[in-house]
Amino acid sequence: MPIKVVFLTFYFEAWDAFADIHTQMLADDRFEVTVISIPRRFRKDEPFGGEDKVSAFLDSLGVDHERFNFVDSFEGLTALRAMKPDYVFINYPWQRNYQPGYRVEELSTFTKVCYVPYYSLALVNEPGELGVTPYLYTQRSNQLASLVFTQDPNTLTSYAKTSRGNSYVHLTGTPKLDGLVRKVSESSGAWPFPKSDNRRMVWAPHHSFSSTWLNFGMFPVLFQEMLDFAERNPDLEILLRPHPIMFGTLVESDLIAQDVLAEWIERWNSLPNTAIDHDSDIAGVFAAADLFVTDGISFLGEYPIATGKPTIFFDKPGHWPWSPIGGLASAANIHVGSFDEFVKVFEELTSDGFPDYSMEIEALRDAAQPFPGEAAGKIVQVVHDDYLAGTPLVDKSLVTETPWENLPGAEAPWD
C-alpha cells in the first residue's frame, strides 16, 4: 500500500516550501499524493475566503488538486478523514488563519501532521529573547506536529527544551531555499520593462511598522524620497516589490491616508522607469536585478545566498533583534540608516561596484543550508522511515506548555 500524503494549503505564496517535496513524492511509487486548496484569512474582520486564488495558483503551476471550498470547514474535515491520509503537510503555523476544521488540534486526532516552515530562515527574535524566539517552536502547530523539518540547528536545540523534546524534529534544511538557489542559477531573469541597457533595481519594503511586531518597515519614511529618486534617475529601472499585505497595513494602521497612498501609487506607475510587482517568480526577479534594496527580513538571507551579492538594507532603529542565524544574515548585507546614506551607497556602487562580502555570505550559506540541494530528499526519506517505524499519533498529554498563541499579549484567537 502506498503512503497516503496530503498537502493542505492556503498559503500559496510559500508553495515553494512544498514544491520539491511534492515533485519527488509524485515521482515515487511509495507515495500516493493529494493536494487540497482551502480558504484562509489574514485579518480578524475579514471572512474566510480566497480559496479560488489558491486553486488558480496551483492550476497555473499544473498542480492537480482538490478544492475544499466549504463554508463549514467541518464538511471538509469529514471528507479529509474519509481519505485516511497517513500524513498531512502544512507550511503555515498560525492556526487562527485556518478555518476551525483544518486546525492542528483536529488534524492530529486522525493523521500525522508534518510541518515545513513557509519561511526560508528564522532571522528575528522577540525583544528580550536570546537564542531562538519561542513562537518558532511553541505554537500549537509545533506542539502537535508528528514531524517538523527545520533548517536551523539552533531551532532544533530549542525544541529540546520543550516537554516533547526534539526527537520528532529533523534538521534537513529547507526546500524553499534549495529551490530558490537552483531557480536563480537557471533563470535568465524576469523584468517588466522593455529590453535596455539601463540598470535594474528592486525595492522590497516590509509590512511591519510597529514595535509590537517586528518593526522593520520604513516605507512611510522613504516613499516620497524614493519617488523623487526615481524621477531624478530616469536611466535606473526600479521595480517595487511590496510585501503582500503592506499597502493594506499602511492604511489600516493610519500610517498613510488612503488618498495619499493612492496618489503616490498613481505617480509611481506613471513614470516610465518604475513599476509594481506583486507575484512574479522571485527567482527571476533576483536574477534580473543589479541592485536589491529592502528593509525586510527574509530577503536579507535569501538574496545573498542565491545571488552571491548583498542587498542594500534600510536598517530601522528599534527593529526586533536578530536570531543567531539572523546575525549572520545581517552581516552579509550593506546597511544604511537614512535615505541620504542610501544615495551615497548607490553612487559608490555605481562607480566602484560591490564591495567584497564573499566571506560573510559563505558563513551565512554554511548555516542556512546544512545539506545544500538535499532538503526535499531528506524530508521524503524521513517520512518513509517514520511510516515503516509505525510511530503513533501524538499523545497530547505529553505537551504541558501553554501554546505561544494563548499566552498573555501574544496572539489572541479571533474566534
Side-chain angles (χ1 to χ4, degrees):
M1 295 289 291
I3 304 168
K4 293 185 178 180
V5 175
V6 167
F7 291 87
L8 188 68
T9 186
F10 66 70
Y11 197 47
F12 65 87
E13 292 87 347
W15 172 255
D16 49 0
F18 284 159
D20 285 359
I21 308 167
H22 173 256
T23 298
Q24 290 191 27
M25 286 185 170
L26 274 181
D28 190 331
D29 59 12
R30 297 176 298 177
F31 295 92
E32 179 183 303
V33 180
T34 304
V35 178
I36 298 175
S37 57
I38 58 174
R40 65 188 191 172
R41 67 172 178 190
F42 291 118
R43 293 184 177 86
K44 180 179 181 178
D45 57 353
E46 69 182 17
F48 284 103
E51 183 278 334
D52 55 329
K53 294 180 180 178
V54 185
S55 178
F57 174 82
L58 294 171
D59 281 339
S60 72
L61 296 181
V63 174
D64 290 335
H65 60 284
E66 297 192 22
R67 300 183 60 180
F68 279 23
N69 196 15
F70 301 101
V71 175
D72 181 357
S73 59
F74 286 92
E75 289 185 47
L77 180 65
T78 298
L80 183 57
R81 277 181 175 272
M83 298 167 79
K84 297 183 178 180
D86 299 299
Y87 299 90
V88 171
F89 274 74
I90 62 170
N91 68 348
Y92 197 79
W94 283 279
Q95 293 299 291
R96 66 182 182 177
N97 302 107
Y98 289 81
Q99 288 177 298
Y102 306 125
R103 293 174 185 170
V104 69
E105 203 75 47
E106 298 290 342
L107 300 177
S108 61
T109 63
F110 67 92
T111 189
K112 296 179 183 180
V113 176
C114 298
Y115 171 48
V116 180
Y118 69 90
Y119 51 85
S120 57
L121 296 167
L123 300 181
V124 179
N125 275 351
E126 292 179 83
E129 295 289 346
L130 299 175
V132 175
T133 196
Y135 68 79
L136 294 176
Y137 63 95
T138 61
Q139 293 190 60
R140 199 58 170 159
S141 51
N142 308 119
Q143 293 175 339
L144 298 185
S146 289
L147 296 172
V148 172
F149 302 100
T150 183
Q151 57 275 66
D152 184 357
N154 299 296
T155 305
L156 179 67
T157 301
S158 295
Y159 272 96
K161 299 183 294 186
T162 68
S163 54
R164 275 188 70 193
N166 67 355
S167 61
Y168 66 105
V169 184
H170 299 268
L171 180 64
T172 58
T174 169
K176 180 184 178 77
L177 195 52
D178 284 352
L180 178 63
V181 170
R182 183 183 67 249
K183 287 191 286 185
V184 170
S185 69
E186 296 171 350
S187 177
S188 58
W191 203 245
F193 300 91
K195 272 196 169 185
S196 72
D197 294 327
N198 290 340
R199 297 187 76 198
R200 299 171 171 183
M201 182 181 115
V202 176
W203 173 32
H206 202 248
H207 72 92
S208 60
F209 305 105
S210 168
S211 60
T212 62
W213 184 251
L214 301 176
N215 200 28
F216 279 80
M218 292 183 67
F219 186 90
V221 179
L222 304 174
F223 75 120
Q224 296 291 8
E225 288 183 293
M226 192 64 84
L227 180 62
D228 294 340
F229 175 78
E231 291 177 333
R232 294 196 308 270
N233 291 274
D235 294 334
L236 175 69
E237 296 169 355
I238 307 178
L239 183 66
L240 171 58
R241 174 81 176 211
H243 187 281
I245 67 171
M246 188 195 74
F247 286 144
T249 301
L250 287 167
V251 174
E252 291 171 8
S253 302
D254 294 323
L255 292 167
I256 300 177
Q258 177 90 54
D259 59 337
V260 172
L261 182 60
E263 180 184 354
W264 184 91
I265 292 173
E266 184 178 358
R267 285 185 62 196
W268 181 268
N269 285 332
S270 69
L271 295 178
N273 62 319
T274 55
I276 300 176
D277 174 66
H278 294 284
D279 49 19
S280 293
D281 182 67
I282 196 64
V285 174
F286 276 13
D290 297 307
L291 302 170
F292 199 98
V293 180
T294 187
D295 56 16
I297 304 171
S298 60
F299 291 140
L300 294 182
E302 293 172 353
Y303 186 78
I305 289 171
T307 69
K309 297 186 296 186
T311 73
I312 303 174
F313 171 52
F314 276 103
D315 193 347
K316 183 180 182 181
H319 69 66
W320 282 21
W322 302 115
S323 68
I325 198 169
L328 295 175
S330 174
N333 293 277
I334 302 169
H335 290 231
V336 295
S338 67
F339 203 84
D340 287 343
E341 285 184 42
F342 161 72
V343 172
K344 182 173 182 290
V345 167
F346 173 79
E347 291 172 349
E348 290 172 350
L349 295 180
T350 301
S351 60
D352 303 330
F354 279 92
D356 184 7
Y357 274 72
S358 57
M359 289 181 61
E360 293 85 352
I361 292 172
E362 194 57 36
L364 174 61
R365 280 195 180 115
D366 288 345
Q369 291 184 286
F371 311 102
E374 300 178 17
K378 286 186 173 292
I379 291 169
V380 171
Q381 191 60 48
V382 167
V383 172
H384 178 259
D385 293 348
D386 181 81
Y387 180 80
L388 292 184
T391 57
L393 298 180
V394 173
D395 181 352
K396 296 181 182 181
S397 69
L398 297 177
V399 180
T400 59
E401 300 91 351
T402 300
W404 175 84
E405 58 263 45
N406 292 339
L407 294 173
E411 186 180 70
W414 287 334
D415 295 330

